[in-house]
Amino acid sequence: MRVVCAGDEFISGDLLARAVEVELERVGLAGKFDVLDTPWPTAPFGEVDGVREAAGDPQRLAELVRGADALVTHLAPITADVLAAGRGSLRVVGVTRGGPVNVDVPAATAAGVPVVHLPGRNLGAVAEFCVGTMICAMRGLPAAAAQLSAGQWDGGGFRYDRTGLELRAATVGLVGLGAIGLRVAELLRAFGSRVLAADPYADPAAAQRAGVRLVDLPELLSECDVVSLHARLTGETRHIVDAAALAGMRPGAVLVNTARGELVDTRALDAALASGHLRAAVLDVFDPEPPAPDDPLPRRPEVLATPHLAGASRQVAEESAARIAGEVARVLAGEPPEHCVNPDVLAGPPT
């Protein structure tokens, strides 16, 4: 089997190749590997020939994929031209992401190529990031650390009116209760937090097991000290946190967004912070991304802003490579994968 492994500075092509080699041996197959890497995240990703959040040269990838049995990547641009170059040989595309937006899925489906992926691949890293930054934001730590770094000792953080809540005393609302939301709920339960969730598609049994009470969005906003966003971006959820939603939040609450920047009306959020209605915000995602140089939110002292790092951990890189290797090996061995975005192609062409 010839496998093209297109990596980057987070999940390298060599890491992918080693993982696929192990899994191919497990199913009795041997592999030959072509490896290339892009300079992401040193160089940003973007839109490439109709796919999103992609990095790399599709022409170079198309050259390598000719005659290949499998293509495995993190965020290389799997465009219609790349898939066309693999026509007749390419049997599977593996993407180490929850949502393979860097793949032209309709083109893959038309070519009869299954696209396997990894839902929830970074849920542990994101959940820990959420809980850790909730603590930082509620206690005012980012602004205090910045002042001390600038040579200013601010002892006023011990004034009662400036102190924040501990998680054990906080009600936390999760907008979206998928894999990441459930993991956040489990961690919060260990702290003693009361946890609410708003998600019309949530599994009530899973929510009950995690100790979460399902409510509608207005109730969640009005009752919670912290609101953390975990919803997918759809037409329904774009700007789900708008001026009206922010006005409905409890005064002094904290907003955490590690999902998608487009979920939040950023101008309305800036106004809510400027007025003092919200205590703080944690923003790991932006609209657009990276944020514009004149975007006021990352510069606000009450905002903990990070450059889309919630899912960055060594475990994510290593485990993602191993998991996608298993999915690719299963397809090449004629076995069904666990997660495929276009499962109809697995049945083959209609007779």
Side-chain angles (χ1 to χ4, degrees):
M1 297 289 172
R2 189 164 77 83
V3 182
V4 175
C5 297
D8 49 59
E9 294 174 349
F10 179 48
I11 303 178
S12 71
D14 284 336
L15 180 60
L16 292 169
R18 290 195 299 270
V20 174
E21 185 175 28
V22 168
E23 288 299 317
L24 287 180
E25 290 178 356
R26 181 186 62 80
V27 296
L29 298 172
K32 295 181 179 180
F33 300 91
D34 289 303
V35 173
L36 75 160
D37 286 310
T38 70
W40 184 88
T42 300
F45 60 42
E47 294 190 12
V48 180
D49 295 348
V51 298
R52 298 188 293 115
E53 297 183 11
D57 181 358
Q59 293 184 346
R60 173 63 176 146
L61 195 58
E63 293 171 4
L64 287 177
V65 83
R66 289 188 178 91
D69 297 280
L71 171 56
V72 188
T73 189
H74 177 209
L75 42 70
I78 315 302
T79 66
D81 288 344
V82 170
L83 291 159
R87 190 175 292 277
S89 66
L90 193 61
R91 295 171 55 188
V92 60
V93 169
V95 183
T96 60
R97 305 178 72 175
V101 295
N102 55 310
V103 181
D104 188 331
V105 175
T109 302
V113 178
V115 178
V116 294
H117 64 128
L118 302 178
R121 61 116 182 201
N122 58 6
L123 66 89
V126 175
E128 289 187 10
F129 178 97
C130 287
V131 173
T133 55
M134 285 177 192
I135 295 170
C136 289
M138 286 193 298
R139 302 281 292 276
L141 302 185
Q147 284 185 304
L148 188 57
S149 179
Q152 302 174 29
W153 180 274
D154 179 15
F158 243 102
R159 282 173 32 194
Y160 180 83
D161 62 337
R162 286 177 55 184
T163 56
L165 295 175
E166 298 176 29
L167 274 178
R168 65 187 175 93
T171 298
V172 180
L174 308 176
V175 181
L177 196 64
I180 293 175
L182 283 168
R183 180 58 178 157
V184 172
E186 291 171 359
L187 296 179
L188 290 171
R189 189 175 186 180
F191 280 90
S193 303
R194 174 177 176 244
V195 184
L196 309 181
D199 186 339
Y201 308 104
D203 178 356
Q208 184 176 27
R209 287 193 298 271
V212 177
R213 182 165 71 90
L214 294 173
V215 298
D216 61 21
L217 184 59
E219 182 178 353
L220 180 147
L221 296 174
S222 66
E223 290 197 20
C224 290
D225 304 292
V226 182
V227 174
S228 187
L229 306 183
H230 303 284
R232 291 188 178 276
L233 179 62
T234 67
E236 293 178 344
T237 61
R238 183 179 296 273
H239 284 191
I240 192 171
V241 180
D242 56 11
L246 290 163
M249 288 179 66
R250 177 176 289 184
V254 172
L255 178 70
V256 179
N257 188 10
T258 58
R260 283 291 183 268
E262 296 92 334
L263 298 176
V264 178
D265 181 335
T266 54
R267 289 186 178 181
L269 175 58
D270 185 57
L273 290 165
S275 70
H277 178 62
L278 294 190
R279 176 182 177 86
V282 175
L283 302 176
D284 188 53
V285 289
F286 298 87
D287 179 24
E289 195 168 291
D294 60 350
D295 187 336
L297 284 171
R299 298 194 299 271
R300 283 198 166 278
E302 62 271 70
V303 172
L304 173 51
T306 50
H308 209 143
L309 292 178
S313 75
R314 292 190 177 184
Q315 285 69 37
V316 170
E318 294 166 0
E319 293 170 6
S320 293
R323 286 179 58 199
I324 204 63
E327 292 281 62
V328 167
R330 278 188 281 275
V331 174
L332 293 176
E335 302 171 3
E338 293 182 7
H339 301 289
C340 180
V341 296
N342 53 350
D344 290 347
V345 304
L346 296 169
T351 57

